[in-house]
Structure formats: structure tokens, C-alpha cells
Amino acid sequence: MAATEPAAKPGFSLELTDDQRDLQAWVHGFAESVVRPAAHEWDEREETPWPIIQEAAKIGLYSYEGLASFFADESGLTLPIVNEELFWGDAGIGLAILGTALPVAAIFGQGTGEQIGEWIPRCFGTPDEPKVAAFCASEPDAGSDVSAIRTTARFDEKTNEWVLNGQKAWATNGGIADVHVVIASVDRELGARGHAAFVISKEETKGIEQGAKVRKHGLRASHTADVHLDDCRIPADQVLGGKEKLDERLARVREGKRARSQAALQTFEATRPTVGAQALGIARAAYEYALEYAKERTQFGRPIIDNQAIAFTLADMKTEIDASRLLVWRASWMGRTGKPFENAEGSMSKLKAGEVAVWATERAIQILGGNGYTREFPVERFHRDAKIYTIFEGTSEIQRLVISRAISGMHIR
């Protein structure tokens, strides 16, 4: 009997495909030629850069089809690649363009097929009239502690409507968006397990209004504001996943059975690697600028990179950035291929990339010296933009809490 040949072992590669490299170059070109030249202006104006969003929409970078194609990559790497390149151009403008991805992820991850088909295209509008969307989870007294959310959603049997009341804080695109995805409590006694996500059109709905706009340390080109809900009435079918599915889930929880991930946490866990990629783009921008500056800046008759203190700092920056990218890519691949985050790999990627972004941008300022502290050079803006990545979508402390619980199997507090 003829011997059978052993099955070939699966290969391993970190090399991008031709399509991924082409996309990377395309987004980098847009970031370099359109985003970066406009970065300082829109940071100073602290306004939403609608002309830049429209440019992105016209070339297909900002669109339902574009985002769908990024998600469709079976490796999971396209979305972090796009985010890194765009945020390399500028983080404020990058978030103005891709901030819509968070509410889209919530709709896609929790919505029915009909809800996905109806609401996601509305998040983007058209190239001639682009729109943005907002994800509203945080509140004045409920940031990291999502169980403390006080916004309520009560079902009115007489009118077959949900009635929402409360105040949301720190909402990217809050108030200027048409589509708002709002996390609210349906049953306060159940804590976070009693939450649900609702999709609301500001243009078509009374009782949802923008509150105070936040004046921020960084990401100034990205609009952030409170959102007020005052007897905001929406049809029964605007709870993501459908009312019947929500009722079934709440019934299981009330019976003491385990429910699926809570509405807000489910969205955040899915998007953390993407947020890490954004921080990665900022860190890389700072490193590349500092590297070129160090090669050109002379002191005592030679380029400052000739000094080991400078050269070693740049070597550390490059090493930390590349290590962060590997964590982001791993988590993105795991999420796309259905591998469970048994050790909170999504949180690991966001934690590492966010802290590296803050550290690397600070090192870049130090390398530039006094110039780095002025607004004449972009590393000052990079540093301001980076800091939020240790705070929003889960602080570094929350990421460590999630990771420690995952690796220990214990409910660390």
C-alpha cells in the first residue's frame, strides 16, 4: 500500500497582500495630500471639517460601501491599516471622518438585517451631502462604570413607542449627527444587564437635542458634545435587535440565567483594536517627524541623532510602535476570524497602543526641545491628540481590569 504524504503544515506570514498594500498607499496618499495640510487649521478652529469629510466621501473613503469593504477583509487587517494611515495624517480630522464607525459597529453587531439595511447608509449620507453618526453611552456620572447609566427607556404600550429620558456626555458627533445610537436602561434593577441600544434620527425625532459642546485638549477637529433626551419618543422597532429579542433577553436575566454581553461593552470590545490602530497612527507620525528632525537638526557641529541619547530614544520609539502594531493586528485578526478574546486581547491592543502613543509623542517633544513645545511644529498637537487614547473607550485602568479578570478568571475589583 502506497504511503500517504503528510498534510502540508499551514504557513505563517505577516506580509500584506497586494490589495492591502494598495489600500494602504491610497489612504496614505489622501492623508498626506488632503488631511495633513489642513490639520493645523481645523485644530485651531475647533470645528468639524465638513469639506474634508466631503472629499473623503467623494473618493469612497467615507461611505457605507467603503467601510463594508474594510470589514469584509477576511484577515481583519484592512480596518486597522486604514485607521493608522488616516490618523497618521491627523487624529482630529481622522476621528471626524471615522468617528461614525463606532455607531455603525453597534448597528451592525446588534441590529437586525432590516435595521442594518435601513440605518447604516443613513449614517453616511451622500457624497454631495455627507452626514455623520454618534454613539451615546457615557453620561456625566457614568463613564467607565456603564452600570451607572441613568438614561431610561420606557415602553409605552398605548402608542407602541419607546420614551427615552436622560443626558449623554462625551458623544463624538453628538447633536450634529442625524443617526444617534443611544444606550439606555430598560430595567434599572438589572444594572448593566438591563441596558439596550436604540437608534434615533435627530432630524425626524423630537426630544433629542445637542447640549454643551466640549472644548477639548486634543482631537479638536472632532465634534464632542452632550446629548439631551427629553421624552424622546421613537417607534418600537428602533431598539437594536428588535423588541421581541430584548424581552426574551431580559426575561432570561430576571430568571437568573446568563445574558449575552451588555450593549455598550459589546460595542467597545469589538472596536478596541481599531481604536488602538488610531493611537498607533499618532505615535508613528510623531516618531517619523522626530526622526527626520533629529537627522537634520545640528548642535555642536553635528546632527543631534549622532548622540546616543537621541538615537536610542528613537530606537525605543520604533520598537514600541511596532510591538503595538502586532498586538493591534493580532486582536483585529482574532475578532474577524471569530477567535475568542480569552485573555482580553482586544483590551491589550488598545492599552498598549494608547500608552505608547502618549509616551512616543512626549519623546518627540523632548527631541525637538523648545520647538516641540510650540504650535509651529506638529508634535505638540500629536501629544495633545494622543492623551485621550488612555481615557476614552475604556481608560488604561479599565483595560487592565478587563485583562486581569480574563487571565485570572476572577472578578477583580
Side-chain angles (χ1 to χ4, degrees):
M1 185 173 64
T4 58
E5 294 185 6
K9 294 182 178 180
F12 173 79
S13 175
L14 287 173
E15 186 176 5
L16 298 180
T17 67
D18 289 341
D19 287 344
Q20 288 168 335
R21 284 195 296 269
D22 288 345
L23 180 66
Q24 185 180 48
W26 176 59
V27 179
H28 184 84
F30 179 80
E32 185 174 38
S33 63
V34 178
V35 173
R36 185 162 280 193
H40 178 74
E41 174 190 352
W42 290 100
D43 177 72
E44 292 288 331
R45 290 173 62 168
E46 298 189 50
E47 297 175 0
T48 301
W50 288 109
I52 311 299
I53 296 174
Q54 188 168 43
E55 287 295 316
K58 286 181 177 179
I59 66 171
L61 178 58
Y62 182 75
S63 68
Y64 173 39
E65 295 78 12
L67 193 61
S69 70
F70 304 155
F71 275 112
D73 177 9
E74 294 182 355
S75 73
L77 297 187
T78 292
L79 195 59
I81 288 170
V82 168
N83 275 266
E84 179 181 340
E85 295 305 325
L86 194 56
F87 280 67
W88 171 90
D90 179 65
I93 294 176
L95 193 59
I97 294 172
L98 290 182
T100 293
L102 182 58
V104 165
I107 297 170
F108 185 79
Q110 301 176 51
T112 64
E114 290 182 356
Q115 289 171 333
I116 291 170
E118 176 185 357
W119 288 99
I120 290 183
R122 293 179 60 173
C123 292
F124 295 95
T126 67
D128 291 330
E129 190 178 352
K131 297 182 182 297
V132 293
F135 184 76
C136 305
S138 295
E139 297 182 0
D141 296 318
S144 298
D145 182 10
V146 295
S147 64
I149 284 176
R150 301 184 64 82
T151 297
T152 60
R154 174 181 60 84
F155 190 69
D156 187 339
E157 298 281 356
K158 295 180 180 179
T159 61
N160 200 37
E161 293 175 320
W162 292 98
V163 185
L164 279 74
N165 282 281
Q167 178 181 346
K168 292 298 180 180
W170 302 101
T172 297
N173 297 329
I176 66 170
D178 174 26
V179 177
H180 288 68
V181 175
V182 177
I183 305 299
S185 175
V186 179
D187 189 334
R188 292 285 297 278
E189 293 183 359
L190 300 179
R193 295 178 300 168
H195 294 172
F198 300 84
V199 60
I200 304 171
S201 168
K202 186 173 182 292
E203 294 181 359
E204 299 173 357
T205 310
K206 295 181 180 179
I208 178 170
E209 298 292 340
Q210 178 183 319
K213 178 181 176 181
V214 181
R215 300 194 67 184
K216 305 190 297 293
H217 178 63
L219 300 182
R220 293 179 178 179
S222 171
H223 176 93
T224 307
D226 291 353
V227 174
H228 297 288
L229 299 141
D230 184 11
D231 284 338
C232 177
R233 289 180 171 268
I234 58 174
D237 62 2
Q238 287 179 210
V239 58
L240 289 180
K243 186 176 184 301
E244 182 177 343
K245 186 176 179 181
L246 171 63
D247 289 341
E248 292 175 355
R249 176 171 66 83
L250 294 178
R252 288 197 303 271
V253 174
R254 293 181 184 117
E255 293 172 2
K257 297 178 181 178
R258 187 171 181 177
R260 288 185 174 183
S261 301
Q262 297 108 20
L265 297 182
Q266 183 177 341
T267 299
F268 287 142
E269 189 60 31
T271 58
R272 276 172 180 158
T274 302
V275 175
Q278 296 172 2
L280 185 59
I282 302 170
R284 196 183 105 215
Y287 157 74
E288 290 179 0
Y289 195 94
L291 175 62
E292 292 306 310
Y293 183 91
K295 290 160 67 175
E296 296 174 3
R297 174 73 166 172
T298 59
Q299 290 285 284
F300 306 104
R302 60 178 184 173
I304 62 174
I305 198 170
D306 278 355
N307 299 295
Q308 283 190 358
I310 301 295
F312 286 8
T313 297
L314 288 161
D316 287 343
M317 290 168 72
K318 175 63 172 171
T319 301
E320 290 295 310
I321 289 167
D322 281 12
S324 300
R325 185 180 295 106
L326 289 174
L327 286 174
V328 166
W329 282 13
R330 179 184 69 170
S332 299
W333 170 75
M334 291 178 69
R336 182 65 180 86
T337 56
K339 303 287 189 300
F341 290 157
E342 293 180 353
N343 295 296
E345 287 86 352
S347 292
M348 285 185 190
S349 68
K350 195 267 185 182
L351 170 66
K352 181 64 173 177
E355 297 207 335
V356 165
V358 174
W359 174 85
T361 54
E362 185 178 350
R363 299 284 84 71
I365 290 176
Q366 195 70 22
I367 289 172
L368 268 68
N371 286 335
Y373 199 67
T374 72
R375 293 195 181 185
E376 300 301 314
F377 291 80
V379 293
E380 175 269 344
R381 186 178 71 252
F382 297 156
H383 186 254
R384 287 190 285 107
D385 290 344
K387 182 55 192 169
I388 194 62
Y389 286 87
T390 63
I391 300 173
F392 77 169
E393 292 210 38
T395 63
S396 289
E397 291 76 16
I398 288 294
Q399 308 305 331
R400 289 186 170 92
L401 183 65
V402 172
I403 296 165
S404 65
R405 287 175 175 175
I407 64 176
S408 69
M410 299 172 64
H411 191 68
I412 309 296
R413 293 183 180 273

Coordinates of all heavy atoms in Angstrom, one line a residue, residues 102-103 105-107 110 135 183 262-272 393:
L102 N -18.0 53.8 15.0 CA -18.5 53.2 16.3 C -20.0 53.0 16.3 O -20.4 51.9 16.6 CB -18.0 54.1 17.4 CG -18.3 53.6 18.8 CD1 -17.7 52.3 19.1 CD2 -17.8 54.7 19.9
P103 N -20.8 54.0 16.0 CA -22.2 53.7 15.9 C -22.6 52.6 14.8 O -23.5 51.8 15.0 CB -22.9 55.0 15.7 CG -21.8 55.9 15.2 CD -20.6 55.4 15.8
A105 N -20.7 50.2 14.0 CA -20.4 48.9 14.6 C -21.4 48.4 15.5 O -21.8 47.2 15.6 CB -19.0 49.0 15.3
A106 N -22.1 49.3 16.3 CA -23.1 48.9 17.2 C -24.4 48.4 16.4 O -25.0 47.4 16.7 CB -23.5 50.1 18.0
I107 N -24.7 49.1 15.3 CA -25.9 48.7 14.5 C -25.6 47.4 13.8 O -26.4 46.5 13.8 CB -26.2 49.8 13.4 CG1 -26.6 51.1 14.1 CG2 -27.3 49.3 12.5 CD1 -26.7 52.3 13.2
Q110 N -25.4 44.5 16.6 CA -26.6 44.2 17.4 C -27.9 44.3 16.7 O -28.9 43.9 17.2 CB -26.6 45.2 18.6 CG -25.4 45.1 19.5 CD -25.4 46.1 20.6 OE1 -26.4 46.2 21.3 NE2 -24.3 46.9 20.7
F135 N -22.4 57.7 18.8 CA -22.7 56.7 19.7 C -22.7 57.3 21.1 O -21.7 57.9 21.5 CB -21.6 55.6 19.6 CG -21.8 54.4 20.5 CD1 -22.7 53.4 20.2 CD2 -21.1 54.3 21.7 CE1 -22.9 52.3 21.0 CE2 -21.3 53.2 22.5 CZ -22.2 52.2 22.2
I183 N -27.4 54.2 24.3 CA -27.5 53.2 25.3 C -28.4 53.7 26.5 O -28.1 54.7 27.1 CB -26.1 52.8 25.9 CG1 -25.2 52.4 24.7 CG2 -26.3 51.6 26.8 CD1 -25.7 51.2 23.9
Q262 N -23.3 43.0 27.6 CA -24.2 44.2 27.6 C -24.0 45.1 26.4 O -22.9 45.0 25.7 CB -23.8 45.0 28.9 CG -24.1 44.3 30.2 CD -22.9 43.8 30.9 OE1 -21.8 44.3 30.6 NE2 -23.0 42.8 31.7
A263 N -25.0 45.9 26.1 CA -25.0 46.7 24.8 C -23.8 47.5 24.6 O -23.1 47.5 23.5 CB -26.3 47.5 24.8
A264 N -23.4 48.3 25.6 CA -22.2 49.2 25.5 C -20.9 48.4 25.4 O -20.1 48.6 24.6 CB -22.2 50.2 26.6
L265 N -20.7 47.5 26.3 CA -19.5 46.7 26.4 C -19.3 45.9 25.2 O -18.1 45.7 24.7 CB -19.5 45.8 27.6 CG -19.5 46.6 29.0 CD1 -19.5 45.6 30.1 CD2 -18.4 47.6 29.1
Q266 N -20.3 45.4 24.6 CA -20.2 44.6 23.4 C -19.6 45.4 22.2 O -18.8 44.9 21.5 CB -21.6 44.0 23.0 CG -21.6 43.1 21.8 CD -22.9 42.5 21.5 OE1 -23.8 42.5 22.3 NE2 -23.1 42.0 20.2
T267 N -20.1 46.6 22.1 CA -19.6 47.5 21.1 C -18.2 47.9 21.3 O -17.3 47.8 20.4 CB -20.5 48.8 21.0 OG1 -21.8 48.4 20.6 CG2 -20.0 49.7 19.9
F268 N -17.8 48.3 22.5 CA -16.5 48.7 22.9 C -15.5 47.6 22.6 O -14.4 47.8 22.1 CB -16.4 49.2 24.3 CG -17.0 50.5 24.5 CD1 -17.7 50.8 25.7 CD2 -16.9 51.5 23.6 CE1 -18.3 52.0 25.9 CE2 -17.5 52.7 23.8 CZ -18.2 53.0 25.0
E269 N -15.8 46.3 23.0 CA -14.8 45.2 22.9 C -14.5 45.0 21.4 O -13.4 44.7 21.1 CB -15.4 44.0 23.6 CG -14.4 42.8 23.7 CD -13.1 43.2 24.5 OE1 -13.2 44.0 25.4 OE2 -12.1 42.7 24.1
A270 N -15.5 45.1 20.6 CA -15.3 44.9 19.1 C -14.5 46.0 18.5 O -13.8 45.7 17.5 CB -16.7 44.8 18.4
T271 N -14.5 47.2 19.0 CA -13.8 48.3 18.4 C -12.5 48.7 19.0 O -11.8 49.5 18.5 CB -14.7 49.6 18.4 OG1 -15.1 49.9 19.8 CG2 -16.0 49.3 17.6
R272 N -12.1 48.0 20.1 CA -10.9 48.4 20.8 C -9.6 48.3 19.9 O -8.8 49.1 19.9 CB -10.7 47.7 22.1 CG -11.5 48.4 23.2 CD -11.6 47.6 24.5 NE -12.4 48.4 25.5 CZ -13.0 47.9 26.5 NH1 -12.9 46.6 26.7 NH2 -13.6 48.6 27.4
E393 N -13.2 55.2 25.5 CA -13.4 53.8 25.2 C -12.8 52.8 26.1 O -12.3 51.8 25.7 CB -13.1 53.5 23.7 CG -14.0 54.2 22.7 CD -14.2 53.4 21.4 OE1 -14.3 52.2 21.5 OE2 -14.2 54.1 20.4

